[in-house]
């Protein structure tokens, strides 16, 4: 059964849907209904909005988000290292003195209503995977943005690999051979392209198929 959402999150999503361009979801092959992981390109700030507000399966898809952005004490440092403004621009001193603290007031209350998965980058990372397994067990999907930020309004095409650990965990605990769907978000043209999925093979070790999975996902993030 899909996870219930807080009223405040439904209202926020409804507002964003009303004020942002509608997006059409195009599937390379039909979705089989099994809980899966959708891996989109970040598309700047619009990727998360498009996936949570306009994606066909938004009602049953739970995004991963940086746990630091849900903690008011950690938000300022996160904003400063996440390229929210162009380095060296004339207004950088003003941005540096204001935006991190504005974000600390605004983002945590919003993210703490989101039915998603806080991503920890320390010893608490096990909480990230446990919460992910809970959602998959409930029949929900995961949305994971695998690209690392590389600068102002840009991300590396090389993608992270740590999130793939969810695949053997899903097999051990749920007997679910997890599928990963590459998703290309074309925000300018209002399109979400869901490419053919790549599936974890439980008969093989993750280390033996990791490069294949990552290559297929990276290719699917391209236009």
């Amino acid at each position: 059964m899909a996870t219930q959402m807080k009223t405040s999150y439904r209202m926020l999503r409804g507002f964003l849907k009303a004020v942002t361009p509608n997006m059409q979801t195009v599937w390379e092959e039909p979705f089989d209904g099994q809980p899966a992981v959708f891996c989109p390109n970040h598309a700047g700030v619009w990727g998360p909005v498009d996936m949570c507000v306009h994606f066909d399966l938004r009602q049953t898809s739970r995004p991963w988000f940086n746990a630091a952005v849900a903690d008011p004490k950690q938000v300022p440092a996160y904003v400063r290292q996440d390229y929210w403004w162009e380095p060296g621009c004339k207004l950088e001193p003003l941005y540096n003195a204001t935006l991190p603290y504005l974000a600390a007031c605004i983002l945590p209350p919003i993210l703490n209503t989101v039915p998603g998965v806080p991503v920890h980058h320390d010893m608490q990372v096990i909480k990230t995977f446990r919460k992910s397994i809970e959602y998959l067990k409930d029949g929900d999907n995961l949305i994971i943005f695998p690209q690392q930020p590389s600068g102002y309004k840009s991300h590396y095409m090389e993608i992270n690999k740590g999130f793939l650990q969810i695949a053997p965990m899903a097999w051990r605990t749920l007997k679910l051979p997890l599928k990963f769907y590459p998703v290309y978000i074309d925000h300018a043209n209002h399109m979400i392209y869901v490419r053919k999925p790549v599936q974890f093979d439980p008969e093989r070790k993750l280390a033996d198929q990791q490069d294949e999975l990552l290559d297929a996902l990276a290719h699917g993030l391209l236009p």
Side-chain angles (χ1 to χ4, degrees):
M1 181 177 179
T3 304
Q4 293 185 348
M5 299 179 190
K6 294 183 179 180
T7 301
S8 55
Y9 178 69
R10 291 200 301 269
M11 292 176 63
L12 173 63
R13 198 173 64 179
F15 170 76
L16 289 173
K17 185 173 177 60
V19 300
T20 57
N22 191 35
M23 303 284 289
Q24 180 183 355
T25 303
V26 177
W27 297 80
E28 187 170 335
E29 67 175 41
F31 182 57
D32 63 9
Q34 290 296 310
V37 179
F38 294 93
C39 300
N41 61 308
H42 212 282
V45 299
W46 290 111
V49 173
D50 292 337
M51 291 299 292
C52 292
V53 175
H54 299 291
F55 178 45
D56 273 1
L57 300 182
R58 59 189 178 276
Q59 298 285 7
T60 56
S61 296
R62 311 297 162 218
W64 275 23
F65 60 87
N66 197 315
V69 190
D71 182 348
K73 295 180 180 179
Q74 298 185 55
V75 170
Y78 174 83
V79 169
R80 290 190 177 99
Q81 70 181 17
D82 199 44
Y83 306 103
W84 282 36
W85 55 80
E86 185 176 4
C89 67
K90 291 182 179 180
L91 293 179
E92 183 172 24
L94 175 62
Y95 292 153
N96 188 60
T98 57
L99 291 184
Y101 303 103
L102 288 173
C105 293
I106 296 172
L107 293 180
I110 293 174
L111 287 175
N112 284 318
T113 70
V114 175
V117 181
V119 178
H120 299 275
H121 300 282
D122 52 23
M123 295 300 292
Q124 297 186 78
V125 68
I126 189 61
K127 294 182 180 179
T128 299
F129 288 106
R130 285 176 178 168
K131 187 65 175 177
S132 298
I133 292 296
E134 288 177 15
Y135 278 132
L136 293 172
K137 184 178 180 181
D138 287 343
D140 293 327
N141 308 299
L142 301 174
I143 299 173
I144 299 176
F145 291 86
Q147 296 171 304
Q148 277 278 25
S150 59
Y152 180 61
K153 294 185 177 180
S154 65
H155 287 76
Y156 289 113
M157 281 313 300
E158 182 179 354
I159 61 179
N160 293 317
K161 60 183 179 181
F163 71 95
L164 291 178
Q165 295 295 330
I166 193 68
M169 292 180 67
W171 177 251
R172 288 196 304 268
T173 58
L174 307 176
K175 295 303 177 185
L176 174 66
L178 200 59
K179 289 183 178 179
F180 295 85
Y181 286 79
V183 180
Y184 174 66
I185 300 172
D186 183 356
H187 181 77
N189 293 304
H190 315 316
M191 303 293 291
I192 298 174
Y193 296 98
V194 184
R195 270 61 187 272
K196 182 178 179 180
V198 58
Q199 187 170 30
F200 173 72
D201 181 357
E203 299 298 320
R204 302 168 60 197
K205 294 180 180 179
L206 176 60
D208 294 337
Q209 56 186 302
Q210 176 175 278
D211 289 345
E212 298 170 26
L213 296 172
L214 293 175
D215 287 347
L217 291 173
H219 181 74
L221 299 186
L222 297 173

